Amino acid sequence: MKICVLAGDGIGPEIVAEALRVLDVLRRDGLALEIEPALLGGCAVDAAGDPYPEATRALARAADAVLLGAVGGPKWDGLARELRPERGLLGIRKDLDLFANLRPALVYPELAGASALKAEVVAGLDILIVRELTGDIYFGQPRGIEVRNGERVGYNTMVYSESEIRRIARVAFDAAMKRNRRLCSVDKMNVLEATQLWRDVVIETAADYPAVELSHMLVDNAAMQLVRNPRQFDVIVTGNMFGDILSDEASMLTGSIGMLPSASLDAANKGLYEPIHGSAPDIAGRGVANPLATILSAAMMLRYTFGLADAADRIEKAVRQVLAQGYRTGDIYSPGTTRVDTRAMGDAVLAAM
Ligand code: IPM
Ligand code: MG
């Protein structure tokens, strides 16, 4: 099992180090995991002048899975668009055809009080957002900024083909079948043709999943319903841009963006796994970041790409145990719990394992 590890920028190296210690435990217990480090994002721009260098591309293509920390930071903000660290991330998603982005938003009982919403609104919350990741306005052509009639005009194109919609819809229906069998498809069909097609194709796909209860919601309403009554959702499926926005919103329901992992999968379950939070330049290098989202991303990798549910369960159980024991990094700290730094949180997970 070859894993390409991209620690990235900011807190990336610190949190990935803890996830690697967790994988080391599994390796010592007999799992044949091979780790290949490479550069992505700002560190790759600094070292190779390219946020997704050729060497990284080769390793990522040859690997079975990719584990990523985070990319970006103020240091690279002034760079041209093609050199921005985010380009590295978009580049690897597209290059590896990682069209299915799974973003769970889960409220851990011990952390319900950390939510921006009242604990009783979010207690027990368990949503899965399935975001299409390689299409939509993110990649649509034409795009650009040009002068028309003496003034600058900026434009992008929202575009989805039915095959792109069908394959992400299938991922979402399959996920719903393994959960509570409710799927809400989010679009803006009252205004945008591309999302009228989205709705039509999702409805067609539903014929193959009679056991799943399908509903549809316009994205503005979905944004509201997520804070009004988030527990009405089981699985949400939506396009790239709406999914970007709604998954950030959903993460805040849990009160702990430092806790949420994600998976981006291709058609053969090869995947890139990363915490949903960013590179947090404000705390980088201080050893205080929360490594749990990255550790949970490693668990998702074992579950989805390698089919090792037991190993994944072992990690997830260990994370629940350290929360129950009261260990908290600064982002999830509350009075009465034990404040720990990145390394000590990793130590606690290893001990629990
Ligand atoms: C995300 C991020 C990225 C996105 C950025 C960094 C390009 O916001 O993974 O949600 O917009 O997809
Ligand atoms: Mg985002």
Side-chain angles (χ1 to χ4, degrees), residues 86 89-90 93 103 131 133 138 240 244 247-248 274:
E86 293 83 357
L89 190 55
L90 296 172
R93 287 173 180 172
R103 296 190 166 186
R131 169 190 176 196
L133 203 59
Y138 269 56
N240 202 346
D244 178 44
S247 61
D248 263 32
E274 58 178 318

Side-chain angles (χ1 to χ4, degrees), residues 179-192:
R179 295 170 45 102
N180 292 318
R181 302 191 171 187
R182 286 185 294 114
L183 176 62
C184 180
S185 171
V186 171
D187 60 41
K188 188 71 183 173
M189 61 77 85
N190 54 345
V191 179
L192 303 171

Side-chain angles (χ1 to χ4, degrees), residues 122-136:
V122 297
L125 182 75
D126 180 358
I127 300 178
L128 177 65
I129 296 187
V130 178
R131 169 190 176 196
E132 200 288 331
L133 203 59
T134 51
D136 202 350

Side-chain angles (χ1 to χ4, degrees), residues 3 5 14-31 33 35 67 291-302 310-319 322 342-353:
I3 305 166
V5 174
E14 302 161 46
I15 54 181
V16 162
E18 300 311 313
L20 290 180
R21 291 170 75 207
V22 166
L23 292 178
D24 254 344
V25 171
L26 301 176
R27 201 157 42 176
R28 275 201 299 273
D29 290 352
L31 279 191
L33 302 172
I35 307 289
L67 182 66
L292 294 179
T294 315
I295 289 171
L296 290 167
S297 298
M300 276 188 108
M301 175 177 78
L302 295 166
D310 287 350
D313 286 345
R314 184 173 170 203
I315 296 172
E316 286 164 3
K317 249 180 76 187
V319 167
V322 302
T342 310
R343 176 48 55 111
M345 186 59 107
D347 289 340
V349 173
L350 296 191
M353 285 177 74

Side-chain angles (χ1 to χ4, degrees), residues 109-127:
E110 295 87 357
L111 302 180
S115 172
L117 298 190
K118 295 192 194 82
E120 66 262 29
V121 176
V122 297
L125 182 75
D126 180 358
I127 300 178

